Amino acid sequence: YAVLVVSKTGERKVIVGPMTYLLEYDEILELMKLSTGTPKQDDTLLKTVYLRVLHNKVSDVIEAETSDLCPVRMRVSYRVNFEGEPEKWFNVENYVKFLTDHTRSMLRNAIKRHGIEAFYSNAIKIIRDTIIGASGEGGKRPGLVFEENGMRIYDVEVLDVQIGDETIA
């Protein structure tokens, strides 16, 4: 875990633990607000000072439409690490909303290029290739890196794919 310590003068420092740190009289832990629920929304926010740096799990529900106007609904779970400079990790106020908004947009765009039959038969591959890239040498995928805050999605689990039109399903 990591916390952001902020002094009254605006000086910021990131403490990555586990470790003991004694706050100075003018320092506080910066509060983060994270989106909750599935699909992720801003209605109910989780307030915390702790950022889980490794092996975060963020789940979401995405609704999209194929090129032949068939609605689809997917439940996914992202595996996320924070890498690089710890000072960047707190640059995005609500990293959960930031992540889900971006990946929803990417997936809607990718799914819109396929008809329902082509998408449904290759849904897992399309979703994983869109978010974490195609498998390279040794089967490794590059992941999706967010330069803004050092976040990287290193895996995606596709939990469910549903066709919205019962007649077509």
Side-chain angles (χ1 to χ4, degrees):
Y1 288 89
V3 294
L4 177 62
V5 178
V6 180
S7 71
K8 296 280 186 208
T9 61
E11 183 182 335
R12 298 165 36 120
K13 64 179 118 175
V14 176
I15 309 296
V16 181
M19 74 176 289
T20 303
Y21 178 81
L22 185 61
L23 291 173
E24 298 294 330
Y25 74 96
D26 69 335
E27 292 179 329
I28 61 169
L29 298 178
E30 185 74 19
L31 188 67
M32 291 188 307
K33 297 175 184 173
L34 305 176
S35 296
T36 60
T38 305
K40 297 295 183 246
Q41 299 173 355
D42 287 342
D43 300 341
T44 307
L45 298 173
L46 171 69
K47 297 176 184 175
T48 184
V49 295
Y50 299 103
L51 173 66
R52 185 172 180 152
V53 177
L54 297 174
H55 313 300
N56 273 309
K57 190 174 180 181
V58 177
S59 59
D60 197 20
V61 172
I62 300 117
E63 294 182 359
E65 193 174 73
T66 60
S67 63
D68 47 8
L69 306 178
C70 183
V72 292
R73 181 180 169 100
M74 298 144 292
R75 283 189 326 119
V76 296
S77 179
Y78 305 109
R79 302 291 177 130
V80 180
N81 284 342
F82 285 84
E83 302 170 343
E85 305 167 31
E87 291 76 29
K88 289 177 70 175
W89 297 346
F90 293 88
N91 284 351
V92 175
E93 189 172 308
N94 183 345
Y95 81 86
V96 173
K97 186 70 172 156
F98 185 67
L99 178 150
T100 55
D101 284 350
H102 186 64
T103 54
R104 284 176 189 169
S105 175
M106 290 175 68
L107 286 171
R108 286 182 181 130
N109 183 32
I111 292 166
K112 193 68 172 173
R113 290 188 235 139
H114 299 279
I116 187 60
E117 191 173 336
F119 171 71
Y120 194 72
S121 63
N122 293 307
I124 294 172
K125 181 181 180 349
I126 292 168
I127 293 168
R128 290 177 58 81
D129 286 354
T130 300
I131 301 299
I132 55 177
S135 295
E137 293 179 23
K140 298 268 307 173
R141 294 175 184 260
L144 177 60
V145 177
F146 293 80
E147 295 296 328
E148 296 85 352
N149 65 344
M151 179 171 52
R152 183 170 74 89
I153 300 174
Y154 65 90
D155 197 13
V156 178
E157 294 178 50
V158 180
L159 304 173
D160 189 26
V161 176
Q162 297 175 343
I163 298 174
D165 187 331
E166 289 183 28
T167 307
I168 294 171

